[in-house]
Amino acid sequence: MAKDRFTFEISLSVLNHLGRNLYRSFMTVLGEAISNSWDADAKNVWVYINRDSSSMIIKDDGKGMNTDDFQNMFLKIGYSKRKDGHFKSRKGRPFIGRKGIGKLALLSCAEKITIISKTKATDYTGGIIDNSGLDKAIEQDLTPDKYPLEEIKLDSFAELTKDHSQGTIIYFEHIREGIYNRVEYLRKIVALNFRFSLIDKTFNIYFDNKIINFDDLDDLATKTEFVWNLNNLDDPFIRTRLKNIKVKIIELKVKHPIKGFIASVEKPKDLKIRSTDHKVSVDLFVNGRLREKDILKHIPTARVVESYLYGQIHYNELDDEKDRFTSSRENIVSDDPKFNSFLEIFKSEVIAIIFDQWDKLRRDHKKDGDPDNPSITPKDRKSEELFNAVADEYALSADTKSAKKIKDWVNLLHSDATFNFSSYADCFISENLLRLYIENEKILLPAPIEKRFEELLEKEKNNKLRGNVNIELRQNKSKLSYLDMDNLASTIDPHKGGPSIGLTNDSKQYKPIRDALMHTALLQSEAKEKLTTVYHNIKGRLITLLKTD
């Protein structure tokens, strides 16, 4: 290989200000290298991680670079592959790179970076960027020609260059902040963030020679409950890993080239990748590259369902003649009109539908839904949640006929239990409020009610003897604790003087249904309607009573 003298084609101080410290994330650096391989029409990318030495090697079999390419394209900061109106590679891949400054990411994370590359027709070319030397050159305000890259030593890459007919190899030595994440974590992140590595059969990514595929997302797939597909996206993750889940299709009313999928997991913690701070989210992709992570943060609703969702939304229209991406290439410019228009459509035609459907689907599956959805009353929702919690205690773990039968029996009780739980709460609160009211007003019990108390007390003593129960059952030994709505109403009405406030009449209708309810009977629909109507009357009268004193 001829010895060439390579230099940056930009002022070193401008290079430093422009972006040597722009890319802080190790994943950003890894992503930039993989994106370059995609743009270079590589079929394969191999990543080798050594956590002990904090080093990384990225190798591809793309078209590679000759000496002229390395000097006038790679080292020319700001060189764009899209010049002359070209937006796709020779193989028809949409270019991910745009401004030509993404390569600055490769300068930010390691003490020393070695780049070697070759085309089919040329030998290896390249150089070594020593960041300690570059720091000194910047301090001394040297011109680029006074800071040539170090020459490469091909012998040290013998294993990597064997059978490597074309492509690029980048070696990162001593990554500054270390590599703390396990390879399993990095594989998941790559599988999530580089969608084309999973859907394009002509592009494969390997970590330590093991290909990244949908197996790396099995944990996420097994925790997924519901899936929504936007505009019929053909996604193999849905087809292969979520095939047992009935997918709901959302067709956008406003004709828009937005595609994607959104899924929800069983519990919010299922979105967290174990032993990391990383959380799977609803992300926006443009031409296959992650461009905006967690797009829900731009349309916050404070609804609980947000913490259950993940997905990938694809909107390639953001990649047009206007550059809509931030300098770091990690986000979209927040006030971009086209991006804001996308967010409005996404919020009104996708998120609104998913939020409503998610709540119903969760409740249909006997799980807690969205407390902010007004489709059912808060009281009924809490009754459902209580039923779900109790029902879980009767679920058998083994998948047997007995387990299925018990599950079916429990499900049969769902609607009745929800009504009864709510009605019991009504009874409990209203009757105890009446007891407190009588105590506060120091109302004496009428003779018939005193007699009723004696009967109930005797009945309790006999029941305790039969059951050999020697403990006290009631917090309060007051006579009132033995009286039901009928007795309590009969105590209050005469006390008020003048015309009755009506509690006694309502309580007479209330009593037989209330007693059936308290004995855990399943009520007829007419009885449910009657109980509900009478209780509303009682509640109204009770509120009136309490307001007057």
Side-chain angles (χ1 to χ4, degrees):
M1 183 191 77
K3 292 184 178 181
D4 296 289
R5 193 172 183 273
F6 296 109
T7 60
F8 285 108
E9 292 199 20
I10 190 173
S11 160
L12 298 185
S13 61
V14 172
L15 172 68
N16 189 48
H17 290 298
L18 185 60
R20 284 183 71 219
N21 298 312
L22 189 62
Y23 298 86
R24 311 300 270 169
S25 164
F26 171 74
M27 282 307 304
T28 300
V29 175
L30 179 59
E32 188 62 39
I34 293 173
S35 297
N36 286 347
S37 298
W38 168 267
D39 286 352
D41 280 333
K43 294 179 181 178
N44 302 287
V45 180
W46 295 270
V47 180
Y48 302 97
I49 301 284
N50 188 322
R51 293 175 65 198
D52 293 334
S53 63
S54 292
S55 63
M56 175 173 67
I57 295 171
I58 299 178
K59 168 184 172 181
D60 71 38
D61 57 3
K63 65 180 182 180
M65 294 180 286
N66 58 28
T67 298
D68 185 64
D69 296 333
F70 185 65
Q71 176 61 61
N72 298 314
M73 293 182 185
F74 186 83
L75 293 178
K76 185 176 182 179
I77 309 302
Y79 172 82
S80 173
K81 291 173 281 228
R82 301 185 184 211
K83 71 175 186 176
D84 301 324
H86 297 300
F87 288 85
K88 293 184 178 181
S89 69
R90 290 180 182 176
K91 289 185 178 180
R93 292 177 178 174
F95 281 139
I96 292 176
R98 184 182 187 103
K99 281 185 175 179
I101 64 170
K103 66 197 72 174
L104 292 175
L106 308 180
L107 309 180
S108 65
C109 71
E111 292 180 9
K112 187 177 289 189
I113 302 100
T114 302
I115 303 109
I116 64 172
S117 188
K118 73 184 295 291
T119 67
K120 272 189 175 179
T122 64
D123 291 331
Y124 283 103
T125 189
I128 300 173
I129 301 168
D130 185 334
N131 270 303
S132 60
L134 184 55
D135 287 339
K136 290 179 182 178
I138 291 169
E139 287 176 11
Q140 296 170 9
D141 198 22
L142 298 182
T143 56
D145 61 299
K146 298 289 179 63
Y147 176 71
L149 272 62
E150 295 180 19
E151 294 179 11
I152 57 174
K153 300 179 178 62
L154 277 180
D155 291 347
S156 58
F157 292 91
E159 281 298 315
L160 291 168
T161 56
K162 188 189 303 181
D163 300 323
H164 185 230
S165 60
Q166 66 182 61
T168 300
I169 300 171
I170 306 178
Y171 174 37
F172 301 88
E173 294 182 67
H174 306 300
I175 293 174
R176 287 173 173 173
E177 296 182 4
I179 304 174
Y180 299 107
N181 300 120
R182 299 196 308 267
V183 170
E184 292 81 3
Y185 156 76
L186 296 173
R187 290 179 63 88
K188 281 185 173 65
I189 300 302
V190 171
L192 287 165
N193 292 0
F194 294 92
R195 181 176 181 270
F196 42 66
S197 69
L198 299 183
I199 68 169
D200 193 320
K201 294 180 179 178
T202 69
F203 188 75
N204 302 303
I205 302 175
Y206 299 82
F207 265 63
D208 295 334
N209 296 318
K210 182 182 176 184
I211 193 169
I212 289 177
N213 55 34
F214 287 121
D215 291 344
D216 293 295
L217 301 179
D218 269 351
D219 286 349
L220 182 62
T222 56
K223 297 295 185 181
T224 298
E225 277 192 312
F226 315 121
V227 182
W228 293 265
N229 188 311
L230 280 58
N231 283 340
N232 288 300
L233 173 73
D234 181 19
D235 192 297
F237 179 64
I238 299 175
R239 243 188 296 116
T240 61
R241 289 305 191 270
L242 306 180
K243 59 185 177 182
N244 294 324
I245 301 175
K246 185 176 180 180
V247 178
K248 290 187 169 290
I249 303 296
I250 297 178
E251 295 280 1
L252 271 64
K253 295 176 185 176
V254 177
K255 196 160 184 66
H256 217 279
I258 299 171
K259 289 196 171 187
F261 76 89
I262 293 180
S264 68
V265 290
E266 296 172 7
K267 299 177 181 179
K269 68 178 183 180
D270 296 330
L271 293 178
K272 192 175 185 302
I273 296 179
R274 284 180 298 178
S275 303
T276 74
D277 294 328
H278 188 86
K279 180 175 171 288
V280 187
S281 54
V282 179
D283 303 327
L284 179 63
F285 290 72
V286 179
N287 283 331
R289 179 175 178 176
L290 175 64
R291 285 300 192 181
E292 187 75 32
K293 188 157 183 62
D294 187 15
I295 56 176
L296 294 183
K297 67 177 179 284
H298 294 285
I299 46 175
T301 65
R303 298 276 289 274
V304 66
V305 57
E306 286 185 36
S307 61
Y308 288 78
L309 299 180
Y310 75 93
Q312 297 185 345
I313 308 302
H314 302 275
Y315 184 37
N316 297 338
E317 298 295 308
L318 285 173
D319 190 1
D320 53 19
E321 68 283 350
K322 180 180 178 181
D323 187 6
R324 305 176 188 279
F325 308 111
T326 60
S327 297
S328 68
R329 323 313 289 159
E330 296 179 301
N331 302 98
I332 298 168
V333 176
S334 59
D335 60 350
D336 179 76
K338 201 167 190 177
F339 180 51
N340 289 338
S341 174
F342 154 79
L343 289 174
E344 284 298 320
I345 293 171
F346 183 67
K347 180 179 180 179
S348 62
E349 295 201 31
V350 178
I351 292 302
I353 292 173
I354 289 175
F355 278 18
D356 284 340
Q357 291 185 354
W358 180 84
D359 180 58
K360 185 177 186 306
L361 287 167
R362 287 280 292 188
R363 290 190 291 111
D364 287 347
H365 283 68
K366 310 297 181 291
K367 295 182 179 179
D368 295 352
D370 180 2
D372 293 322
N373 190 328
S375 60
I376 64 171
T377 66
K379 186 168 65 175
D380 287 343
R381 186 180 295 279
K382 290 300 181 185
S383 295
E384 279 193 351
E385 292 174 2
L386 177 58
F387 171 80
N388 295 337
V390 175
D392 282 345
E393 296 181 3
Y394 289 90
L396 300 183
S397 57
D399 187 14
T400 62
K401 288 184 179 179
S402 296
K404 184 180 184 306
K405 181 167 63 176
I406 291 173
K407 183 178 179 181
D408 290 343
W409 285 352
V410 169
N411 288 340
L412 282 174
L413 299 173
H414 177 260
S415 61
D416 286 288
T418 300
F419 177 85
N420 284 22
F421 290 167
S422 174
S423 298
Y424 173 78
D426 292 338
C427 294
F428 179 86
I429 291 176
S430 60
E431 292 181 16
N432 276 289
L433 282 175
L434 287 176
R435 292 183 184 110
L436 292 169
Y437 176 82
I438 292 170
E439 284 181 354
N440 184 70
E441 295 294 311
K442 297 181 174 55
I443 300 173
L444 298 176
L445 297 182
I449 304 302
E450 284 278 5
K451 183 178 178 183
R452 180 58 180 156
F453 160 68
E454 296 295 339
E455 292 171 356
L456 293 171
L457 182 61
E458 187 64 24
K459 183 178 180 180
E460 181 180 84
K461 287 178 181 178
N462 293 333
N463 288 337
K464 287 174 67 175
L465 284 172
R466 282 198 298 270
N468 195 26
V469 175
N470 298 313
I471 60 173
E472 290 294 342
L473 302 180
R474 302 167 194 266
Q475 286 185 20
N476 190 339
K477 290 296 290 181
S478 163
K479 298 175 183 180
L480 296 174
S481 68
Y482 288 84
L483 304 181
D484 62 12
M485 175 67 75
D486 191 31
N487 300 137
L488 296 169
S490 298
T491 300
I492 290 175
D493 267 352
H495 169 72
K496 297 303 293 181
S500 167
I501 65 168
L503 270 177
T504 303
N505 290 335
D506 285 332
S507 67
K508 287 177 181 177
Q509 299 178 61
Y510 193 60
K511 179 175 174 55
I513 312 174
R514 178 259 194 205
D515 289 349
L517 172 74
M518 294 305 176
H519 287 87
T520 67
L522 305 184
L523 303 180
Q524 289 280 7
S525 58
E526 294 86 354
K528 290 180 181 178
E529 292 173 9
K530 185 69 172 176
L531 182 64
T532 301
T533 301
V534 176
Y535 171 70
H536 281 307
N537 290 339
I538 290 174
K539 182 172 70 172
R541 298 183 199 283
L542 180 55
I543 290 173
T544 300
L545 177 69
L546 296 174
K547 280 183 178 179
T548 58
D549 290 275

